[in-house]
Amino acid sequence: MTALATPPVTGRPAGSSPHLLRWLLRLHRPALLAWTVFVLVLGGLLLWVGGPLTEGAVEGWKQYHACETGGCAYDPSAVGRHKDWYMYTTFAVIGVPVLIAAWSGATLTSRELEHGTAQLAWTQSVSPARWLAAKLAVPAVLVAVGSGLLVGLHHWAWSTGQGRLDSAKSWYDVGTYAANGPATAAMALAALVIGALFGLLKRNSLGSLVGSLCGTGLLWSVMAIATPHLWPTVTKFSSLKNDVPQGSGIIVDQGLVTSTGAHVADPHCGGSGFASCQARYTELDAVGYYNDYHPQSHYWPLQLTATAIILAVTALLALAAFRLLRRQTGPSAPARKAAAV
């Protein structure tokens, strides 16, 4: 691998942390302002969804149920408006890691290496390792605070409709589950580091952008597949008189259980009250349904376990980024010695 040339250090004193922080904030001011506006606008929308929109939808459902016994009319627009804006804000919260990955991959490290501003910083008695640490630490704080706030507000907006709205999403709805928990905030931090790592690898904005988006998408997909298996499931057995296995939550596996206790695939025939279905179940020696799933009590164990894994992966990726930068720039000891002289 071709090493990045580290320009000779000038004789000026070592750059102070406040000076480096001001430089980073000035350099990324547009992104900082855009992120602040995004968080404020989306946060305001979530407050609107969980407040006035939810109350309006609750009243709309009350009118609907009142009309079930009479010939009155009701306005369904409040219910539809709540459903639409809940969906929009959910997608926006879920999309935070993608936005962070796109920005980080396109600008955080790659653009400065491409344009030479990183090398300029190294001439100001800022070592490559310290430069990268500052590049990651400052956005990480902003990303953690902003994404954490959005996730918390989304969870609140969702909870205000529970037990009050017939159209409220269940806790295990794919979008709701993702937007409600800290794993999405942890994924935003992972996206930041993935983008920085690809910026060091590719050293050009387009290649880093593509790589960071693909890397974030891969990690997200792996975690989505692995999450149901991060905690022991609950198994519920139910009668064949039901049309489907009983038990609601995140389904891991379900089917038929035989008289010997073996699990076989469910032919999805229906309840045993149908003669054809009863004959099919008799042929399979089925005596009931089984359902391996996660009830609502498993929500936080699943979320926190997934969050811990994502943060551990993020730490490993950050370590890989520092090791890669050291390989590219070489030992920084000579630079520190020159700075001292």
Side-chain angles (χ1 to χ4, degrees), residues 32-328:
L32 172 61
L33 292 175
W35 173 246
T36 302
V37 170
F38 175 80
V39 171
L40 291 176
V41 171
L42 183 52
L45 288 174
L46 287 168
L47 290 172
W48 182 49
V49 170
L53 286 190
T54 295
E55 296 305 321
V58 169
E59 183 61 30
W61 278 112
K62 287 181 180 179
Q63 295 174 1
Y64 171 79
H65 290 304
C67 291
E68 289 180 336
T69 56
C72 62
Y74 74 100
D75 181 11
S77 61
V79 175
R81 192 180 305 112
H82 176 271
K83 290 175 62 177
D84 289 344
W85 280 100
Y86 178 86
M87 178 183 66
Y88 300 150
T89 52
T90 297
F91 287 159
V93 173
I94 295 174
V96 165
V98 177
L99 295 175
I100 298 299
W103 170 76
S104 179
T107 48
L108 187 61
T109 54
S110 60
R111 182 170 296 178
E112 292 194 43
L113 292 171
E114 189 177 12
H115 294 171
T117 53
Q119 291 84 341
L120 176 62
W122 300 339
T123 66
Q124 309 304 309
S125 301
V126 176
S127 68
R130 186 181 171 195
W131 168 82
L132 181 59
K135 295 289 290 184
L136 289 176
V138 175
V141 172
L142 299 175
V143 167
V145 172
S147 59
L149 176 63
L150 293 177
V151 165
L153 286 174
H154 187 279
H155 195 282
W156 170 80
W158 166 80
S159 65
T160 58
Q162 293 303 296
R164 304 172 65 203
L165 293 174
D166 293 13
S167 55
K169 293 292 186 180
S170 60
W171 71 272
Y172 54 86
D173 172 74
V174 175
T176 297
Y177 177 86
N180 268 359
T184 293
M187 189 64 71
L189 288 174
L192 176 73
V193 177
I194 289 172
L197 179 59
F198 272 97
L200 296 174
L201 282 170
K202 298 295 184 181
R203 307 181 202 168
N204 68 83
S205 299
L206 181 59
S208 302
L209 170 64
V210 174
S212 60
L213 289 175
C214 291
T216 301
L218 176 62
L219 178 59
W220 205 342
S221 300
V222 169
M223 289 306 304
I225 295 171
T227 292
H229 306 283
L230 298 179
W231 202 257
T233 60
V234 169
T235 300
K236 184 172 185 177
F237 298 99
S238 54
S239 171
L240 289 174
K241 294 180 181 180
N242 300 300
D243 291 338
V244 294
Q246 300 301 290
S248 61
I250 298 178
I251 306 299
V252 176
D253 189 26
Q254 59 181 205
L256 301 175
V257 58
T258 68
S259 60
T260 62
H263 292 178
V264 297
D266 185 357
H268 301 289
C269 182
S272 58
F274 299 100
S276 59
C277 292
Q278 180 59 56
R280 179 61 174 154
Y281 293 146
T282 300
E283 178 185 348
L284 294 171
D285 189 30
V287 296
Y289 294 110
Y290 75 91
N291 186 12
D292 296 333
Y293 71 106
H294 293 288
Q296 189 168 5
S297 60
H298 288 192
Y299 173 79
W300 283 111
L302 288 171
Q303 278 281 356
L304 294 177
T305 303
T307 301
I309 293 175
I310 295 171
L311 291 177
V313 171
T314 302
L316 291 175
L317 291 173
L319 178 61
F322 279 99
R323 292 180 67 88
L324 175 62
L325 182 62
R326 182 176 175 82
R327 284 188 59 188
Q328 291 176 337

